[in-house]
Amino acid sequence: SLTFAEVVVTGVFGDTFFVQEKTGGPYSGIACYAGTVNFSMLSPGDVITVWGTYYEFYDLTQLTVEDFEVTEVVSPPEPFEIVHPAHVATGGPLSEMFEGVLVRVSDLETIDTKPDCPHDFGEFSVTGDLRIDDMAKDLWDPHLGDAFAAITGVLHYTFGEFKLEPRTMEDFEVIEAGAMSALTKCIEADCIAPEGAA
């Protein structure tokens, strides 16, 4: 069992919350899977000590929470500014370093509204092939032509992809929303390998 003392909450989602060291920066954050532990009272800026078991879950580093205690409340941490979104996208040179850390990426456009065609897992891709996920359900309805001054979120790793997890609508700094009809075409036949293809 591990203890992380004096870490600050950066994001709270369905069954998971994220913490990082107060100083922030590379290798400072981790996903905390809470399972049956009730953490609904937590919010960004809560400083906690958390006890749990550390393990790699499909290459995601996470802490399975056994218990936690709020020790103080501070201003929510400022996100770490990432120079280019591709740097923290899947395969990017900084993605592993910033897994679990609150980051902000700037100058983005929606480039794919259905990156998992023919499936739809509620994700979309922006400049640099960075995926934006929806752990905080239904914040943004993506369309081609969306332009963002910036998007803030916790960098998470699931299903083989690094993705940004915005927490609230305030994490989207929207310049312009694309046309309602401007969606990535996703025809199931386009996405299925032909018979006999290896």
Side-chain angles (χ1 to χ4, degrees), residues 12-15 18 113 115-116 120-125 131-142 151-154 156 158-159 162-168 172:
V12 178
F13 301 93
D15 59 6
F18 291 86
T113 61
D116 295 299
D120 182 2
F121 299 121
E123 301 177 16
F124 64 101
S125 296
R131 285 182 180 234
I132 310 297
D133 195 21
D134 69 340
M135 279 176 85
K137 302 283 179 223
D138 305 323
L139 292 179
W140 182 258
D141 187 17
I151 302 177
T152 297
V154 180
H156 194 32
T158 57
F159 299 104
F162 281 94
K163 48 197 80 163
L164 207 55
E165 302 289 355
R167 302 156 301 170
T168 64
F172 291 92

Side-chain angles (χ1 to χ4, degrees), residues 20-154:
Q20 68 187 46
E21 294 159 12
K22 285 180 178 174
T23 49
Y27 300 112
S28 66
I30 193 167
C32 297
Y33 171 71
T36 56
V37 176
N38 177 12
F39 61 95
S40 58
M41 73 299 291
L42 287 182
S43 57
D46 287 347
V47 177
I48 66 171
T49 295
V50 59
W51 295 271
T53 312
Y54 171 90
Y55 74 115
E56 294 268 332
F57 178 74
Y58 294 108
D59 291 329
L60 164 69
T61 304
Q62 72 178 23
L63 186 74
T64 299
V65 176
E66 289 154 13
D67 201 4
F68 67 88
E69 177 185 13
V70 177
T71 55
E72 65 172 322
V73 178
V74 297
S75 297
E78 290 298 317
F80 190 94
E81 297 281 347
I82 299 295
V83 174
H84 194 281
H87 291 172
V88 290
T90 306
L94 305 179
S95 49
E96 192 78 25
M97 289 159 63
F98 284 96
E99 180 186 314
V101 178
L102 184 67
V103 299
R104 181 175 183 266
V105 286
S106 300
D107 301 327
L108 306 169
E109 289 179 15
T110 297
I111 59 170
D112 193 339
T113 61
K114 296 195 177 67
D116 295 299
C117 168
H119 305 290
D120 182 2
F121 299 121
E123 301 177 16
F124 64 101
S125 296
V126 296
T127 309
D129 222 15
L130 175 62
R131 285 182 180 234
I132 310 297
D133 195 21
D134 69 340
M135 279 176 85
K137 302 283 179 223
D138 305 323
L139 292 179
W140 182 258
D141 187 17
H143 295 88
L144 300 176
D146 294 341
F148 306 94
I151 302 177
T152 297
V154 180

